Amino acid sequence: LLLLAVLAACSKPPQAEADAAKAALDVAVQNPDVAAYASDELQAARDRLARLQAELDAQEAKGALSRKYDTAKNMALEAQAAAESLAAQAVTAKEQTKAEAMTLLNDLRITVPEAEQGLAQARRVSGVRLDFRSLAASLAQAKAEVAAAENAYNNGDYVTARATAAAVKGSL
């Protein structure tokens, strides 16, 4: 009788653990920073849940006496922990992105005026054959993009701010 009780306990799917993992992922998905700053980790958590479901399905396909849900239970607990850590990972990544964007913007606050000064000096050199109109237009475009990056930064869109600032820095 004891042996049957042990076998029955091993053959029950870890539904509570699986539901907790799914609920933790649902909570994480509601946080917009998770998608913006921890998208790879979010996908990994989704993949864990998919593997959990595959394991549950595989065990369900077996005969009642040969089902073992120990692996599924561990997978559910790991999936739950991964999902619950997404918000903290997003906060860390957001702060890193914010710092990187600020560094780039600070660099551009120096680089753009230096480029303007260099262009002005080049205009004064006789015999220099440059397309000053095109260079001035490129510099004006860079200034506009820096302003857009600063606006994105001030609005909390650090991903756009970093990407835009990096593109401008690469073009100067």
Side-chain angles (χ1 to χ4, degrees):
L1 188 60
L2 181 59
L3 180 61
L4 287 177
V6 169
L7 287 174
C10 291
S11 65
K12 286 182 66 179
Q15 195 60 52
E17 292 84 351
D19 290 345
K22 290 174 188 170
L25 185 62
D26 289 343
V27 167
V29 168
Q30 297 303 314
N31 181 340
D33 286 345
V34 169
Y37 297 99
S39 60
D40 291 342
E41 294 85 351
L42 176 59
Q43 187 58 50
R46 287 180 170 142
D47 292 345
R48 282 180 182 267
L49 275 181
R51 288 191 303 273
L52 167 61
Q53 189 59 53
E55 175 65 17
L56 290 171
D57 293 345
Q59 293 303 319
E60 189 63 32
K62 293 181 179 180
L65 292 178
S66 61
R67 292 180 190 152
K68 294 187 179 167
Y69 288 102
D70 294 341
T71 300
K73 183 175 181 176
N74 288 335
M75 291 173 78
L77 294 172
E78 290 171 4
Q80 180 181 358
E84 288 173 346
S85 72
L86 288 172
Q89 292 174 15
V91 167
T92 300
K94 183 176 183 177
E95 289 304 314
Q96 181 179 351
T97 303
K98 180 180 179 181
E100 291 170 0
M102 180 53 67
T103 298
L104 287 165
L105 288 169
N106 286 337
D107 289 348
L108 289 170
R109 288 183 185 108
I110 295 167
T111 306
V112 170
E114 285 176 349
E116 287 177 315
Q117 193 175 34
L119 183 60
Q121 289 173 350
R123 285 184 181 192
R124 289 187 288 247
V125 175
S126 62
V128 173
R129 295 197 179 267
L130 292 174
D131 184 356
F132 288 110
R133 186 175 299 165
S134 175
L135 291 172
S138 294
L139 194 52
Q141 178 65 32
K143 287 173 72 173
E145 289 176 12
V146 168
E150 287 176 338
N151 189 43
Y153 184 91
N154 292 333
N155 289 326
D157 185 359
Y158 306 120
V159 171
T160 298
R162 178 182 63 186
T164 303
V168 171
K169 189 172 180 179
S171 72
L172 292 179

